[in-house]
């Protein structure tokens, strides 16, 4: 039997990769705008690779214009406190260090269980690092994880960027010459 998180990793992988069945299933409870944004992945998908083992990254999404590592979290609760598990904080710090070295924006994808509409929200880790090119714009656009007074990250589902909005944003321009 697969670990509990595998189901949502596979779901997100299929959505970003533009798999028709996964998108059709997801949009059943989405509004018209969310549906249109999800359907954009049918024509402009990412190549999504599942990371082997516990490297602090579950998925890597690649496309001609963007690439980013993704850590997937899921919960019935709308708030995830990294202080509840020291490993979560260490994982986030390591992911941020690795991403800063290569100028990639680290993405946290939070799946709220039993949520109608778009159940996915995206976040990134706050940092003073200066990203380059499209990644700088992407970093500014994606909501940051909250940091508690004691320095631990907090992920509040309602504060994140809808996955459907992210899909629309990354598909806004093909940067082609006219």
């Amino acid at each position: 039997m697969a670990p509990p998180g595998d189901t949502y990793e596979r779901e997100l992988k299929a959505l970003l990769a533009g798999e028709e069945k996964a998108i059709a299933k997801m949009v059943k409870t989405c509004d018209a705008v969310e549906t249109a944004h999800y359907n954009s992945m049918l024509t402009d998908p990412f190549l999504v690779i599942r990371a082997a083992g516990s490297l602090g990254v579950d998925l890597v999404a690649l496309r001609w214009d963007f690439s980013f590592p993704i850590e997937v979290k899921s919960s019935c609760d709308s708030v995830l406190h990294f202080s509840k598990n020291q490993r979560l904080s260490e994982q986030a710090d390591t992911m941020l260090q690795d991403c800063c070295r290569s100028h990639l924006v680290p993405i946290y994808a939070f799946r709220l269980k039993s949520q109608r509409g778009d159940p996915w929200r995206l976040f990134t880790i706050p940092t003073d690092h200066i990203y380059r090119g499209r990644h700088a714009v992407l970093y500014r656009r994606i909501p940051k994880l909250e940091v508690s007074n004691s320095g631990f990250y907090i992920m509040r589902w309602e504060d994140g960027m809808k996955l459907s909005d992210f899909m629309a944003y990354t598909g806004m321009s093909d940067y082609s010459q006219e």
Side-chain angles (χ1 to χ4, degrees), residues 2-168:
D6 274 4
T7 301
Y8 298 113
E9 285 176 28
R10 291 177 194 279
E11 177 182 89
L12 183 57
K13 178 185 185 298
L15 293 169
L16 290 172
E19 293 181 15
E20 283 185 51
K21 262 177 100 171
I23 291 171
K25 182 178 177 184
M26 179 56 63
V27 300
K28 284 182 180 178
T29 63
C30 289
D31 64 31
V33 173
E34 292 167 343
T35 298
H37 293 168
Y38 270 105
N39 284 330
S40 71
M41 287 293 102
L42 296 170
T43 56
D44 206 12
F46 287 90
L47 168 64
V48 185
I49 301 163
R50 290 186 73 213
S54 182
L55 303 173
V57 173
D58 295 318
L59 304 171
V60 178
L62 306 164
R63 197 170 65 188
W64 69 274
D65 55 348
F66 288 104
S67 58
F68 42 84
I70 305 169
E71 178 62 25
V72 178
K73 300 295 179 199
S74 62
S75 178
C76 293
D77 297 323
S78 64
V79 180
L80 287 177
H81 293 270
F82 285 47
S83 61
K84 291 184 177 180
N85 183 337
Q86 183 64 32
R87 186 179 159 277
L88 291 177
S89 294
E90 291 168 2
Q91 182 184 51
D93 291 339
T94 300
M95 183 178 178
L96 180 60
Q97 288 172 357
D98 291 343
C99 287
C100 286
R101 286 184 36 223
S102 56
H103 301 282
L104 294 174
V105 177
I107 304 286
Y108 269 87
F110 183 6
R111 171 64 151 86
L112 187 59
K113 297 176 183 178
S114 302
Q115 176 68 30
R116 294 185 60 79
D118 189 345
W120 287 98
R121 295 295 183 269
L122 301 182
F123 300 85
T124 189
I125 304 170
T127 180
D128 292 333
H129 178 75
I130 298 171
Y131 291 98
R132 300 176 182 169
R134 290 184 202 112
H135 289 280
V137 177
L138 184 65
Y139 178 77
R140 285 192 304 268
R141 184 77 84 135
I142 298 174
K144 312 308 176 270
L145 295 175
E146 184 181 327
V147 181
S148 71
N149 290 337
S150 52
F152 290 102
Y153 297 117
I154 302 169
M155 197 167 8
R156 296 181 194 281
W157 183 84
E158 65 273 2
D159 294 341
M161 174 186 262
K162 287 182 178 183
L163 177 60
S164 56
D165 289 346
F166 177 80
M167 290 171 168

